[in-house]
Every structure is written in structure tokens, then in C-alpha cells.
Amino acid sequence: MKHYNIPVFISHFGCPNSCVFCNQKKINGRETDVSLEDLKNIIDSYLETLPKNSIKQVAFFGGTFTGISMSLQKDYLEVVKKYIDAGEIQGIRLSTRPDCISDEILKQLKKYGVQTIELGIQSLDSKVLSATDRKYDEGVVENSCKLIKKYEFELGIQLMIGLPCSDLKSDYETAKKCLELKPDIARIYPTLVISGTELQKMYLRREYNALDINEAIFRTKKIYALLETNGINIIRVGLQPSEDLTAEGVILAGPFHPAFRDLVENEIYRDFLFEIIKKEKKLDIEVNEKNISRIVGQKKKNKKEFSPYFNLKINNDLDKYKIKVNGKLYERSDILKRELKE
């Protein structure tokens, strides 16, 4: 059964932290910008168009949901709970900070049908956390993840590559440490310089160098392979190209691409094919048609690079993630593990 999110973007104006990459505004006297009536209207609008026979979750994104007051959290949750009780929605997911988790908060979330909690971990490198003004340490993250697992929520982690003071090693070491937290799902975001942030000022003062697209792909692909080979479901790679994000003047620098995940996948398969062609000097490839784009690459990049050795044949008897090259069958794990070689 297909899954759909009903996204509700709740800013947290009362957030006590000002992370350098965040552009949320401070508005005195207001906790957030979505009224209870707004929430109801958003849900009703989506329910009119989403298939009846599907799994639907209300997804509170955009801010630090558990950082707002307990009473306002309860008000939001009560609105959604009525739809859950009526069978129109199957649950709730939300994103928040590691330092905004407690027993009291989790008990309330459980009571009202929250199923998934995603933590914006971003990094577990102390220098990076300090440089980005996150105001928590690795121990806070570990304790929050343990609590979330204790209450049997699905645990999600959000990682950012290319933050100030990070490098390839620190980004990868963060991902390795995250394996110990036993997350169920993950998102990987390359850092972008967004207008109105402290990072913009750092960038303009030349105190921060944004990653280019090639470096971002290079850093991401190894983390991507590590998480997937350890059974973590990667639900997004790269920021979604929303209207707010793609408006002129919003992104000042950084590796934004509307199909960033595809670029990472293309490069992983490119590395795999390159190793084979070095040894065997030919590429007779059989793949399921659903896997062709990963093999060929965007704008046929991989096909052009490996021409004239590149011979591709569709074989829909193969599983989507399996590939046969020069008569040998390779599993998805075979391809990913090549990225993890030191």
C-alpha cells in the first residue's frame, strides 16, 4: 500500500538556538505560524486528493516541534488524533532537535499517535557542532535516541555534509557513529548557504567555503553506501526543490540539485563499472529496465564515458537492484560495498 505524507511546515519562532544554517525568524509573542484552523484545512485539502486506499501520515516539518510548549503540542496533536480515530489518517511523524526530547514529551507524543521521530543530528563532530552553534554534544544525541527507541517510535536521523569545520573524514565518522544509535531511517542533506542565515555572513566574509556539486557527491556516496548496507532506509538525499527554496536569491551557494540522489546513485554505479572495465576491458550489461537510469547516468554521462565498451541489454527477469556484467551477476550490496573500501 502506498504511503503519503501530509506536510505541515511549522516554524518555531521560540527556538532558543540560532544554528548558522537556519533562517527561521524570531517573532516576539508568537511560538509558531500555523493555527489549529490552518492545520485542519491543510489535512482536509490533502484528504480530498489522496487515494483512499493508502497509508497517510501528518508530517510536522520545518521547525522544532517538541521545542514548542507542551500545551501547544497537545493542541496540534489533538486535531490530528480526531482524523486518526476516524481512520482517515494512520499516524503522525515529526522532526525535532536532539536536545528537545524527554520522557514527558515522548509520553504525550505516544498518546496521540506519533509513530516516527526524526532528529536533526547534522553532525557528531564536536568542532562542527561548535562551529554551527548547535549547543549540544554527542551524549545528548545518544540519550535522546535511546529514549525514542525505548518508547518504540521509529527513529529517523538527519545528517548534513559540508558544514563549517567539517571534512570528508568528519562527515563519514559521524555516519559511522550513527550506526550505534540504531536508526530506522535517514536523510542526508548537503549544506546550502541560505539567504538570511549566519552562514550567509560567514560565506560573504570568506570564513566558509561551500561544497561544489562534485565534492558533495563524493562525500555523500560513501555515507549513503554505509547506511544502506547497514539496513537503514534512506528516505531522502538532498533538499526537496520547493518553491520557497528555488525562488531567486534564496540559495546563495552550495551543491543544490533537484535530483541530487540520482547523481549520487549514478556515481556509485560509475565507480562499480569502472573497476570492471579496468580488469576486463568490456561492459556487456544486463539490467531491469527500472535500473537503467542509474547505470546510464544523467545525460548518459556513464554511457558516454565508457563508450565504445558499453553494451546495454534490458532483462526484466532480473531484480530491480541486480545487474549482470560480462555474464556475472552482482547484488546491490556488491555495488555499495565497493564504496566502503579504504
Side-chain angles (χ1 to χ4, degrees):
M1 193 177 294
K2 196 156 185 181
H3 175 273
Y4 295 92
N5 281 338
I6 298 176
V8 181
F9 293 93
I10 294 185
S11 299
H12 177 202
F13 299 136
C15 183
N17 301 292
S18 299
C19 303
V20 298
F21 50 81
C22 179
N23 69 343
Q24 291 211 45
K25 306 288 191 297
K26 300 287 186 182
I27 300 181
N28 291 333
R30 289 182 61 192
E31 280 199 86
T32 186
D33 54 355
V34 177
S35 70
L36 301 183
E37 189 63 27
D38 290 337
L39 174 58
K40 188 177 183 302
N41 290 338
I42 291 168
I43 296 171
D44 288 341
S45 176
Y46 272 89
L47 289 180
E48 287 177 4
T49 59
L50 294 178
K52 299 292 183 185
N53 187 29
S54 62
I55 298 172
K56 295 174 277 289
Q57 283 184 313
V58 169
F60 289 110
F61 291 140
T64 304
F65 185 85
T66 60
I68 61 180
S69 63
M70 289 289 289
S71 60
L72 185 53
Q73 288 181 57
K74 182 180 178 181
D75 289 342
Y76 283 130
L77 295 169
E78 284 181 336
V79 171
V80 184
K81 187 66 162 58
K82 292 176 182 177
Y83 291 91
I84 295 174
D85 292 342
E88 296 178 283
I89 288 171
Q90 283 63 56
I92 302 168
R93 68 190 304 132
L94 58 88
S95 61
T96 192
R97 289 172 55 96
D99 52 354
C100 291
I101 292 293
S102 68
D103 280 288
E104 181 186 13
I105 288 170
L106 295 177
K107 285 175 183 176
Q108 178 164 277
L109 298 181
K110 198 73 175 178
K111 177 181 177 181
Y112 286 100
V114 174
Q115 297 169 323
T116 305
I117 299 175
E118 296 186 39
L119 292 184
I121 291 174
Q122 323 311 2
S123 177
L124 291 176
D125 183 288
S126 59
K127 291 182 181 178
V128 177
L129 291 174
S130 176
T132 52
D133 205 20
R134 288 297 280 174
K135 292 186 170 62
Y136 61 75
D137 58 25
E138 185 179 338
V140 171
V141 175
E142 183 179 346
N143 290 336
S144 294
C145 289
K146 284 181 179 178
L147 268 181
I148 290 168
K149 299 294 277 189
K150 171 187 170 183
Y151 283 91
E152 299 182 340
F153 292 97
E154 181 180 49
L155 172 62
I157 59 170
Q158 299 172 2
L159 303 178
M160 293 181 69
I161 64 162
L163 286 166
C165 291
S166 74
D167 55 23
L168 174 64
K169 182 179 179 182
S170 69
D171 283 344
Y172 185 64
E173 287 300 314
T174 284
K176 284 174 66 176
K177 289 178 180 179
C178 281
L179 297 180
E180 300 173 12
L181 306 176
K182 299 183 173 19
D184 303 291
I185 57 177
R187 299 176 192 257
I188 308 170
Y189 296 127
T191 301
L192 304 177
V193 180
I194 305 296
S195 177
T197 64
E198 183 63 29
L199 192 61
Q200 175 194 7
K201 297 176 184 178
M202 295 168 66
Y203 175 74
L204 294 176
R205 293 194 300 260
R206 298 187 179 181
E207 296 170 2
Y208 172 73
N209 294 318
L211 299 181
D212 64 28
I213 193 73
N214 292 324
E215 176 64 19
I217 293 168
F218 187 75
R219 288 199 195 186
T220 301
K221 64 183 180 179
K222 191 171 182 180
I223 293 170
Y224 187 95
L226 177 72
L227 297 180
E228 186 178 323
T229 54
N230 280 277
I232 299 167
N233 180 20
I234 304 169
I235 59 176
R236 175 157 286 280
V237 183
L239 285 171
Q240 188 169 343
S242 64
E243 289 184 14
D244 289 344
L245 192 64
T246 55
E248 186 175 354
V250 174
I251 299 176
L252 303 181
F256 177 74
H257 192 284
F260 185 75
R261 183 177 194 146
D262 290 341
L263 296 181
V264 173
E265 285 274 2
N266 293 164
E267 192 66 14
I268 287 171
Y269 278 88
R270 183 260 173 206
D271 293 345
F272 162 70
L273 294 174
F274 182 69
E275 287 296 315
I276 294 175
I277 203 171
K278 279 198 306 183
K279 297 175 183 177
E280 303 179 24
K281 308 301 181 187
K282 65 176 183 175
L283 288 175
D284 294 330
I285 304 167
E286 293 182 46
V287 293
N288 187 296
E289 62 185 343
K290 294 179 180 178
N291 206 19
I292 287 177
S293 63
R294 292 184 178 90
I295 308 301
V296 173
Q298 283 211 351
K299 298 182 180 180
K300 300 182 179 180
K301 178 177 178 289
N302 293 345
K303 183 178 181 179
K304 290 175 182 176
E305 179 180 354
F306 297 131
S307 177
Y309 305 102
F310 194 99
N311 297 302
L312 184 64
K313 176 183 175 182
I314 294 174
N315 180 353
N316 287 334
D317 290 332
L318 287 175
D319 178 87
K320 176 182 176 181
Y321 289 111
K322 292 181 181 179
I323 179 173
K324 189 176 284 188
V325 184
N326 300 338
K328 183 177 178 180
L329 185 66
Y330 294 89
E331 303 283 342
R332 169 81 169 173
S333 59
D334 298 325
I335 298 163
L336 293 172
K337 285 176 181 177
R338 288 171 181 254
E339 296 294 335
L340 304 179
K341 293 180 180 178
E342 299 297 335

